[in-house]
């Protein structure tokens, strides 16, 4: 009896342990798969320490807290993962989950997202705001169809032609060596429509190109020119807004897989709020950057009415090229123009003079 009692006790203990383990397994199956910690890797050319990155890092901390550490966001600022084209390639091979990208890289994925880039489309910032209120949701939905979750659209501002050489007219501009972002077909086709030969370079090559006189002219928003130090190699600014520039803050749909529904909602809400804040700050930064260019000694050139008319005529030609070559669809252009013309009609009825598009 002495020997049998312990044996019986051990056997019962093993049996109870097996039943307990089986119960845990069944409970886990019924509860569904447990959510695992996820790190979203997002790259941008925005410099570390910039207002963009301060807002984004704060949003990352908020995501961490809201999800109790289940979701973290790791940012790669300053172009350390390459330019926009390189970032998109890394996204496609799943080295990155998302990026802050300008529209040109989406040319084969969702061409209509480039619609606001049409040359000389907007005549005032009020027009920009009126159009974006209606059109932004359309573009976000189109990106979703292409497999991207867009946290929003962030304004960089209006691009202005800045050069080492004095140029006001189209004839003057055609003698310049003008930079075009490498791989950005809409930019190249726009310059070609103006009969200006584009010189494609990556973003990281522009400063070197200016130093080596490979190029002598860029078209970019003041908020981009200053941190990139391009203004140190430039002398003139043509006071004529050329193109509205903006970035898309996106991650892939697949990058959100494995998160709980609650965590996905939290990530989207926090990041959308952050991008809206960046969009607002950039509007204010544009005015400050414009003043900074003046303080740095750049000379501002004002074209005549006849010269402006020539520029706008070529811009209309470029718009037709975009449509005819499929850079944007005729349908999205018609929708935008309907919204834009309504906004202009409302402004005319109110007889309100729109403030300068330069924000000054």
């Amino acid at each position: 009896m002495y020997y049998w009692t312990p044996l019986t006790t051990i056997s019962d203990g093993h049996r109870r342990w097996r039943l307990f383990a089986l119960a845990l397994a069944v409970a886990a199956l019924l509860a569904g798969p447990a959510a695992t910690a996820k790190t979203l890797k997002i790259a941008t050319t925005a410099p570390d320490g910039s207002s963009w990155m301060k807002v984004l890092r704060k949003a990352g901390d908020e995501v961490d807290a809201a999800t109790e550490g289940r979701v973290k966001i790791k940012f790669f600022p300053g172009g350390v993962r390459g330019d926009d084209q390189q970032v998109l390639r890394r996204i496609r091979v799943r080295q990155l989950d998302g990026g802050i990208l300008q529209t040109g890289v989406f040319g084969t994925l969702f061409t209509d997202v480039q619609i606001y880039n049409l040359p000389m489309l907007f005549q005032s910032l009020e027009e920009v705001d009126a159009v974006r209120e209606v059109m932004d949701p359309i573009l976000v939905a189109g990106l979703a169809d292409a497999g991207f979750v867009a946290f929003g659209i962030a304004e960089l501002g209006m691009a202005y032609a800045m050069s080492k050489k004095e140029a006001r007219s189209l004839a003057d501009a055609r003698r310049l060596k003008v930079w075009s972002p490498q791989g950005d077909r809409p930019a190249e086709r726009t310059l070609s429509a103006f009969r200006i030969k584009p010189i494609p370079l990556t973003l990281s090559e522009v400063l070197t190109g200016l130093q080596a006189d490979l190029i002598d002219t860029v078209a970019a928003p003041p908020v981009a020119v200053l941190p990139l130090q391009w203004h140190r190699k430039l002398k003139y600014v043509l006071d004529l807004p050329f193109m509205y520039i903006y970035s898309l803050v996106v991650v892939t749909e697949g990058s959100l897989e494995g998160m709980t529904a609650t965590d996905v909602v939290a990530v989207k809400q926090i990041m959308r709020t952050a991008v809206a804040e960046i969009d607002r700050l950039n509007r204010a930064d544009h005015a400050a950057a414009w003043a900074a260019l003046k303080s740095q000694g750049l000379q501002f050139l004002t074209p005549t009415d006849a010269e402006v008319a020539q520029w706008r005529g070529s811009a209309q030609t470029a718009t037709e090229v975009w449509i005819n070559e499929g850079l944007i669809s005729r349908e999205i252009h018609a929708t935008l123009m309907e919204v834009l013309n309504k906004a202009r009609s409302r402004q005319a009825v109110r007889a309100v003079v729109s403030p300068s598009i330069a924000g000054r």
Side-chain angles (χ1 to χ4, degrees):
M1 293 292 294
Y2 179 82
Y3 295 102
W4 284 102
T5 302
L7 288 173
T8 304
T9 303
I10 293 172
S11 179
D12 289 345
H14 283 179
R15 188 179 299 110
R16 285 194 297 270
W17 172 250
R18 287 196 297 270
L19 288 173
F20 178 67
L22 179 61
L24 286 177
V26 172
L29 288 172
L30 292 175
T36 57
K38 175 75 176 183
T39 298
L40 294 175
K41 299 182 289 294
I42 299 176
T44 173
T45 57
D48 207 3
S50 64
S51 58
W52 281 60
M53 290 311 305
K54 290 176 182 177
V55 173
L56 289 172
R57 290 196 187 283
K58 181 175 179 290
D61 292 340
E62 291 175 1
V63 166
D64 191 355
T67 63
E68 298 179 337
R70 292 183 297 274
V71 182
K72 299 179 183 297
I73 302 180
K74 183 175 183 179
F75 295 102
F76 298 89
V80 296
R81 289 295 181 268
D83 61 17
D84 286 4
Q85 294 283 355
Q86 292 168 319
V87 168
L88 184 61
R89 284 195 290 270
R90 291 178 184 272
I91 291 172
R92 284 175 161 174
V93 297
R94 300 185 180 180
Q95 292 178 354
L96 291 169
D97 298 296
I100 303 174
L101 306 169
Q102 290 189 31
T103 57
V105 299
F106 291 93
T108 60
L109 301 171
F110 175 44
T111 58
D112 283 346
V113 80
Q114 305 168 112
I115 185 67
Y116 302 156
N117 287 147
L118 281 169
M120 299 184 177
L121 174 65
F122 298 110
Q123 297 175 10
S124 72
L125 291 173
E126 282 77 7
E127 290 183 359
V128 171
D129 294 339
V131 167
R132 284 193 53 187
E133 183 178 0
V134 177
M135 299 293 294
D136 276 13
I138 297 174
L139 301 186
V140 168
L143 286 166
D145 291 339
F148 291 91
V149 175
F151 296 132
I153 296 173
E155 172 180 295
L156 284 171
M158 298 301 301
Y160 290 81
M162 305 183 196
S163 182
K164 294 181 176 182
K165 299 178 180 179
E166 186 172 349
R168 290 180 176 84
S169 67
L170 262 176
D172 293 336
R174 287 166 183 158
R175 293 192 290 268
L176 301 175
K177 293 180 284 188
V178 182
W179 168 61
S180 174
Q182 191 170 72
D184 190 334
R185 185 167 168 243
E188 293 177 3
R189 297 301 293 122
T190 297
L191 289 172
S192 296
F194 281 86
R195 287 164 47 200
I196 296 172
K197 183 180 178 180
I199 300 177
L201 295 173
T202 65
L203 191 70
S204 62
E205 294 172 328
V206 172
L207 184 57
T208 303
L210 287 169
Q211 292 168 337
D213 204 33
L214 179 62
I215 57 172
D216 56 30
T217 305
V218 302
V223 294
V225 169
L226 287 163
L228 292 169
Q229 301 295 304
W230 296 351
H231 64 289
R232 297 183 181 276
K233 301 299 177 183
L234 301 167
K235 294 181 179 180
Y236 301 97
V237 180
L238 182 62
D239 194 359
L240 182 66
F242 188 69
M243 181 183 291
Y244 182 67
I245 306 297
Y246 51 104
S247 289
L248 309 165
V249 185
V250 300
V251 295
T252 63
E253 278 281 2
S255 68
L256 303 183
E257 292 177 359
M259 298 183 192
T260 67
T262 301
D263 286 351
V264 169
V265 170
V267 170
K268 289 181 177 180
Q269 288 179 342
I270 292 169
M271 288 299 294
R272 284 169 180 164
T273 299
V275 175
E277 175 68 4
I278 290 171
D279 194 44
R280 184 188 67 79
L281 288 173
N282 281 354
R283 179 68 60 87
D285 287 348
H286 179 81
W290 189 266
L293 288 178
K294 288 186 175 181
S295 70
Q296 292 291 325
L298 274 75
Q299 297 181 44
F300 286 73
L301 308 174
T302 302
T304 65
D305 290 345
E307 288 168 341
V308 171
Q310 284 184 328
W311 281 105
R312 293 198 181 282
S314 290
Q316 187 57 47
T317 299
T319 297
E320 288 300 318
V321 169
W322 279 43
I323 295 171
N324 292 336
E325 296 190 7
L327 298 177
I328 58 170
S329 68
R330 195 168 294 277
E331 292 75 18
I332 196 76
H333 181 255
T335 300
L336 182 143
M337 291 308 300
E338 182 180 358
V339 175
L340 181 55
N341 288 332
K342 286 180 179 177
R344 288 173 176 169
S345 295
R346 288 194 297 269
Q347 289 176 3
V349 169
R350 291 194 302 266
V352 174
V353 177
S354 300
S356 167
I357 200 166
R360 54 189 195 283

